[in-house]
Amino acid sequence: MLFTEEWLRQYVNPQLSTDELAETLTMAGLEVEEVTSVAPAFTGVVVAEVLTCRDHENSDHLHVCEVNAGTGEVLQIVCGAPNVRAGIKVACATIGAVLPGDFKIKKSKLRGVVSMGMLCSARELGTSEDHNGIWILPDDAPIGMSIREYAHLDDARIEIKLTPNRGDALSVVGVARDLHAVTGAPLTLPSMEAVAPTCECRLPVKVEAPDLCGRFTGRVIRGLNAKAETPQWMRDRLERAGLRHISALVDISNYVMLEQGRPTHFFDMAKLIADHLTVRWARKGEKLTLLNETTVDLDPYYGVVCDGDKPSCIAGIMGGEESSISEETTDLFIEAAFWHQTAIQGRCRRLNFSTDAAYRFERGVDFGTNAEHMEYITRLVLEICGTDATRVGPVDDQIVNLPERKPVTMRVARCLKVVGMDIPVEAMHNTFTRLGFQYTFDGEAFTVQAPTHRFDIEIEEDLIEEVARLYGYEKLSDRPPLARIAMKSPKEATRNAHTLRREMAVLGYQELINFSFVPEAWEKDFAGNEEPIRLLNPIASQLSVMRTQLIGGLVDILKYNLNRKAERVRVFELGRVFFPDPAVLDGPWSVKGVRQPSHIAGLAYGTANDVQWSVEARRVDFYDVKGDVERLVAPLKARFVKETFPGLHPGRSAAIYIGEKRVGFIGELHPKVVHDYDLPHAPIVFEVEVDPLLMLSLPKYTPVSKFQPMRRDIAVVVPADFEVQKLFDVVSEGQLADARLGALTSFELFDLYRPKTEDGANEKSLAFSVELNAFGEEALNDLEADGTMRALVEVLERAGARLRG
């Protein structure tokens, strides 16, 4: 919200400096982001009158002017502006003036003619971007007066940042109300005196959607002069609030929106075909060309105001091109409707543009002053664009479905407990009185009826906040907590999620934090999920669903880095994913129907190692990332079982198990996904549930053998598609079931060989290194070692392997 200090002080003028005013607004909850001057520093520029103007003899574009700047003598000034002429008032920089950018005005000669100053444009003085010519002032501008004083260029431009619940402060009057409540300075609001109708001109309006429009106020005005000039004071206020001048009627509408917080819409009655307007929800297949020349495909998500039954504008957002006003408009229909917040929220995001009107309706516009604001805007239209032939119809005010505002109770004791400070009851009375709240007090509690412009007053805590901010947040005492502090040691059999983050960082991965809402295509590509949880009001149209996987975000960041010439990327994310689950109930950390487990996912791309002279460069592969996963889950033991997953290469992916529970997956991206996402090579990715990794077994003491270990090798033959993990599993089970394997301390694969057989058998040979040792008082002898090896062969044969000859 942007406005000028002069505009605000017209309604409430506390005895505060500009800095004090900004601080007061900030401490009242209307955070002032920036205070800037309307114009940059300059000196020596005054109001002057051009007495004569003739063409320069030695130039085809310069003019020689005689100027009265109030100095007692006529100044000769050479000017090149195309709009300079005799009889106009201008901004004149006299000799010695210093313009923005430290540009000093001196006596000079232009094409042989002496120039005793400079006639300035608005852009040269830093007041606007208009550089079509010199700045022409109104005829009543006093000659010789400083232009800074005349045009209020020492005024301050104030920008405030509002929280979404304070839609009432999206107007100068709204800010003035709050400043009055905080400082107690008198509040003077614009007159809303009724304008008597001079004809019975009406345009009937049918409201068919009460859930869209709660109140519709309209008025017909005929015989206007739309070519009239917007008053300079109004143009200045609009431009300094960030809105450009368009035409008198548009400027009036914008001015009332900024001043009163009331968005309105003007229809050119000559362009309306039907004899009535209809307010309804749009129908699928309808189209509308808007004022910004965008053609929108409508559907029942949007509300529309129709010319008869043909959509003419999108309710609360933007008008249509066909019924728009212009300088040729003479007959006008003014609409000042109240659109329900829920009927406007989210629509602009889907349209991919926003408007000032929609921004206000989304946050709530006062539904109790439609008729008064209609009288106010009527008076402005008549004062600026009225003619002798102007006729004004009566106000047509239809109240259809207004929000129900229930009284809110605030207990004094509760207020003191929440704020933590003794606030006098008298201060609470003053708060509600200054804010214009109607209330009763029974000695223990206030029962408050909030005004129609305050949509944020719904519960007791809202009233407590009003009391605290008007009493003064700065009065809250700084008291340190007095509770005893005791350090709690973590359970030995657990670890926290941050431990996993540290381990990933040690492995060379960088952490990402992505949005939990993602494009729907990611869910289909990386999770095979056709029915993700959809957002009712996404922050961006493409971020429309909740994620069930983290891989999409990692791939997106990979593309971002590849586009910036990164060659080796290691990234990970630890965050929540979201699954529909009817069994989940509402709770402090849960949402009904949604399961939200934490996952950790990683992506590796590029070379396996940083470039160095002693290691040959090679691309990262499945086994590199498999090793990273094993490091991540340690001291837990991960098993990898061949499985296929959406988005992964079917022959280069596996499920990750901890014990008998499948906790995640690992693999190379599917070639189709790699192609669709424009990746030069396939990265290796993994994703694992976090909770199973946090529970550890307690450390157990294992004695160290005092004897030297005995090492032997064993080679077995298995079918080519046989999974080696099965052999490791049966050996681990055999150690528990067969005492003869008690001496086995290590069983590791060290070689893989695929022999070429004459009979064409498709087999492979696996060679294992076996380590044996004794933990008693005597060393392991050859006889015992041979028995252990025989038992090991039996276990392997039962699993489908045979000893290699």
Side-chain angles (χ1 to χ4, degrees):
M1 176 65 190
L2 187 63
F3 55 90
T4 62
E5 182 180 357
E6 174 270 334
W7 197 356
L8 177 63
R9 288 186 183 273
Q10 179 181 337
Y11 309 126
V12 58
N13 190 14
Q15 299 304 306
L16 300 172
S17 67
T18 300
D19 291 341
E20 291 170 339
L21 178 65
E23 178 66 17
T24 300
L25 289 174
T26 297
M27 295 309 297
L30 308 181
E31 181 186 353
V32 175
E33 282 198 309
E34 188 178 27
V35 178
T36 57
S37 177
V38 167
F42 62 83
T43 59
V45 182
V46 297
V47 177
E49 181 181 11
V50 180
L51 302 177
T52 65
C53 178
R54 59 183 175 81
D55 292 338
H56 194 297
E57 296 178 355
N58 300 320
S59 173
D60 59 356
H61 70 281
L62 295 178
H63 307 277
V64 180
C65 304
E66 291 183 336
V67 177
N68 176 16
T71 61
E73 61 178 331
V74 175
L75 304 178
Q76 177 176 279
I77 298 177
V78 179
C79 177
N83 61 338
V84 65
R85 62 186 184 276
I88 62 173
K89 299 285 183 68
V90 295
C92 176
T94 57
I95 300 299
V98 180
L99 301 188
D102 199 29
F103 181 70
K104 296 178 181 179
I105 301 299
K106 302 176 183 178
K107 180 179 177 180
S108 61
K109 276 189 176 183
L110 295 176
R111 301 283 180 92
V113 177
V114 175
S115 181
M116 301 295 292
M118 174 179 171
L119 305 186
C120 303
S121 70
R123 191 169 77 171
E124 286 166 339
L125 297 180
T127 61
S128 79
E129 291 301 312
D130 184 11
H131 195 55
N132 293 324
I134 57 174
W135 183 5
I136 299 178
L137 305 175
D139 293 339
D140 58 355
I143 296 173
M145 177 181 283
S146 167
I147 195 67
R148 297 194 73 92
E149 179 184 354
Y150 171 75
H152 305 289
L153 299 184
D154 290 319
D155 194 8
R157 185 187 285 113
I158 300 173
E159 184 173 6
I160 60 175
K161 179 181 179 181
L162 296 172
T163 51
N165 64 320
R166 289 304 306 273
D168 63 292
L170 285 169
S171 66
V172 180
V173 167
V175 176
R177 276 194 299 251
D178 249 35
L179 190 58
H180 157 72
V182 174
T183 64
L187 178 65
T188 305
L189 297 179
S191 171
M192 301 289 166
E193 184 179 350
V195 176
T198 58
C199 69
E200 291 301 317
C201 305
R202 294 176 184 269
L203 181 63
V205 179
K206 300 176 183 178
V207 180
E208 298 179 354
D211 54 339
L212 166 65
C213 178
R215 183 175 183 177
F216 195 101
T217 306
R219 190 172 212 171
V220 174
I221 305 179
R222 296 186 182 275
L224 293 172
N225 174 23
K227 296 179 181 178
E229 287 291 327
T230 303
Q232 190 63 42
W233 61 267
M234 182 179 286
R235 289 185 61 167
D236 289 343
R237 286 181 173 179
L238 290 174
E239 289 174 358
R240 292 169 188 179
L243 295 181
R244 63 185 178 88
H245 159 69
I246 298 176
S247 68
L249 290 176
V250 175
D251 289 348
I252 291 169
S253 179
N254 287 335
Y255 181 82
V256 172
M257 179 183 66
L258 291 180
E259 183 189 54
Q260 302 292 335
R262 170 70 58 191
T264 57
H265 184 63
F266 291 178
F267 293 85
D268 187 335
M269 294 193 65
K271 297 179 180 180
L272 296 176
I273 300 173
D275 59 356
H276 68 279
L277 298 180
T278 305
V279 178
R280 60 171 173 82
W281 293 105
R283 304 185 186 109
K284 191 171 183 61
E286 291 181 321
K287 292 181 180 291
L288 177 62
T289 301
L290 301 176
L291 290 173
N292 61 2
E293 300 181 353
T294 300
T295 300
V296 178
D297 294 320
L298 300 174
D299 59 48
Y301 185 57
Y302 300 103
V304 290
V305 178
C306 299
D307 177 10
D309 196 49
K310 181 181 179 182
S312 181
C313 74
I314 300 182
I317 298 177
M318 184 176 284
E321 179 68 28
E322 289 187 7
S323 61
S324 63
I325 58 174
S326 67
E327 290 190 349
E328 306 304 321
T329 298
T330 57
D331 298 339
L332 186 69
F333 179 75
I334 305 175
E335 166 250 297
F338 167 72
W339 309 105
H340 289 286
Q341 291 170 268
T342 54
I344 307 299
Q345 290 168 347
R347 274 67 177 179
C348 286
R349 190 169 296 116
R350 186 164 160 188
L351 291 169
N352 287 323
F353 66 81
S354 183
T355 64
D356 290 328
Y359 189 81
R360 285 161 172 78
F361 282 121
E362 287 174 339
R363 288 154 178 77
V365 171
D366 187 1
F367 56 83
T369 56
N370 293 53
E372 290 82 353
H373 289 168
M374 178 60 72
E375 301 288 2
Y376 181 62
I377 199 170
T378 299
R379 182 159 52 84
L380 288 176
V381 169
L382 294 180
E383 289 176 356
I384 297 172
C385 300
T387 67
D388 293 339
T390 299
R391 292 171 294 155
V392 181
V395 174
D396 181 13
D397 188 21
Q398 299 183 48
I399 298 177
V400 183
N401 176 30
L402 297 182
E404 182 182 0
R405 307 303 297 274
K406 297 180 180 179
V408 181
T409 299
M410 186 195 78
R411 297 160 289 174
V412 172
R414 175 65 176 167
C415 177
L416 299 180
K417 181 178 180 180
V418 170
V419 177
M421 178 173 59
D422 290 330
I423 299 178
V425 174
E426 185 63 29
M428 301 180 189
H429 281 281
N430 290 338
T431 293
F432 299 138
T433 301
R434 289 182 176 181
L435 287 171
F437 292 3
Q438 297 179 1
Y439 69 93
T440 58
F441 181 58
D442 62 8
E444 294 184 355
F446 290 86
T447 301
V448 178
Q449 182 67 54
T452 53
H453 60 264
R454 289 300 297 270
F455 284 78
D456 58 320
I457 306 300
E458 296 181 338
I459 58 177
E460 185 176 23
E461 283 71 17
D462 294 330
L463 294 177
I464 294 173
E465 180 185 3
E466 296 300 298
V467 170
R469 75 184 184 90
L470 263 66
Y471 188 69
Y473 290 133
E474 68 278 4
K475 295 179 183 178
L476 289 171
S477 57
D478 296 329
R479 290 183 294 180
L482 301 178
R484 292 182 177 273
I485 298 177
M487 183 177 292
K488 294 183 178 180
S489 58
K491 294 181 181 180
E492 192 175 3
T494 63
R495 59 181 168 186
N496 59 40
H498 194 64
T499 305
L500 303 179
R501 289 190 174 97
R502 284 200 303 268
E503 185 60 36
M504 291 299 293
V506 169
L507 292 169
Y509 290 75
Q510 291 183 308
E511 185 175 10
L512 308 177
I513 299 177
N514 285 313
F515 284 125
S516 296
F517 14 88
V518 300
E520 187 173 354
W522 289 7
E523 283 299 297
K524 294 179 181 178
D525 293 341
F526 299 109
N529 184 6
E530 297 290 342
E531 294 296 330
I533 299 174
R534 302 183 186 280
L535 295 171
L536 295 177
N537 189 21
I539 64 168
S541 58
Q542 71 274 19
L543 304 179
S544 58
V545 302
M546 301 301 292
R547 66 186 181 185
T548 62
Q549 45 72 39
L550 304 179
I551 303 301
L554 300 183
V555 172
D556 185 56
I557 298 301
L558 170 63
K559 285 185 60 180
Y560 181 88
N561 282 272
L562 292 179
N563 290 338
R564 285 151 184 81
K565 306 303 181 183
E567 297 180 351
R568 186 174 185 271
V569 177
R570 300 287 189 280
V571 289
F572 81 96
E573 180 176 7
L574 194 156
R576 293 192 181 277
V577 292
F578 304 84
F579 298 95
D581 188 344
V584 178
L585 303 177
D586 271 325
W589 309 107
S590 62
V591 177
K592 184 177 181 181
V594 181
R595 182 166 55 88
Q596 307 177 40
S598 292
H599 283 196
I600 184 169
L603 177 148
Y605 178 90
T607 57
N609 302 293
D610 286 325
V611 177
Q612 56 175 301
W613 63 270
S614 63
V615 177
E616 184 179 351
R618 63 174 181 83
R619 281 193 201 136
V620 66
D621 60 22
F622 176 94
Y623 298 99
D624 294 312
V625 179
K626 173 178 174 289
D628 291 341
V629 173
E630 290 172 332
R631 283 276 302 274
L632 173 67
V633 306
L636 300 175
K637 298 294 183 182
R639 291 190 302 112
F640 299 85
V641 179
K642 181 180 178 181
E643 287 187 30
T644 58
F645 295 90
L648 298 186
H649 194 300
R652 299 174 188 174
S653 60
I656 303 172
Y657 283 79
I658 301 292
E660 297 302 317
K661 177 179 174 59
R662 192 178 82 173
V663 298
F665 60 83
I666 180 175
E668 181 182 298
L669 276 193
H670 196 287
K672 183 179 184 303
V673 175
V674 173
H675 176 270
D676 291 344
Y677 285 79
D678 296 324
L679 301 177
H681 307 293
I684 311 299
V685 299
F686 73 87
E687 185 167 335
V688 184
E689 295 178 32
V690 169
D691 287 346
L693 307 186
L694 304 183
M695 303 305 296
L696 308 175
S697 57
L698 289 173
K700 294 182 180 179
Y701 169 72
T702 302
V704 178
S705 175
K706 54 187 176 181
F707 304 109
Q708 191 172 4
M710 184 181 296
R711 292 183 174 83
R712 295 191 178 184
D713 295 340
I714 184 173
V716 296
V717 177
V718 295
D721 60 352
F722 191 89
E723 295 180 7
V724 180
Q725 184 64 45
K726 293 181 180 179
L727 299 183
F728 287 116
D729 292 342
V730 297
V731 170
S732 296
E733 294 169 1
Q735 285 180 289
L736 299 176
D738 193 334
R740 292 178 298 170
L741 293 178
L744 178 63
T745 58
S746 176
F747 181 72
E748 300 289 342
L749 177 69
F750 73 86
D751 188 37
L752 168 63
Y753 173 62
R754 298 182 185 274
K756 295 181 180 179
T757 57
E758 295 181 359
D759 56 1
N762 194 9
E763 295 179 325
K764 61 185 176 183
S765 172
L766 305 174
F768 296 89
S769 172
V770 180
E771 184 178 287
L772 309 173
N773 210 334
F775 293 90
E777 294 299 323
E778 295 183 3
L780 192 68
N781 57 44
D782 289 340
L783 186 62
E784 292 170 331
D786 291 342
T788 299
M789 294 302 293
R790 283 194 298 272
L792 178 60
V793 171
E794 292 174 8
V795 169
L796 296 176
E797 288 178 344
R798 285 199 298 270
R802 73 174 190 275
L803 194 63
R804 180 179 174 185

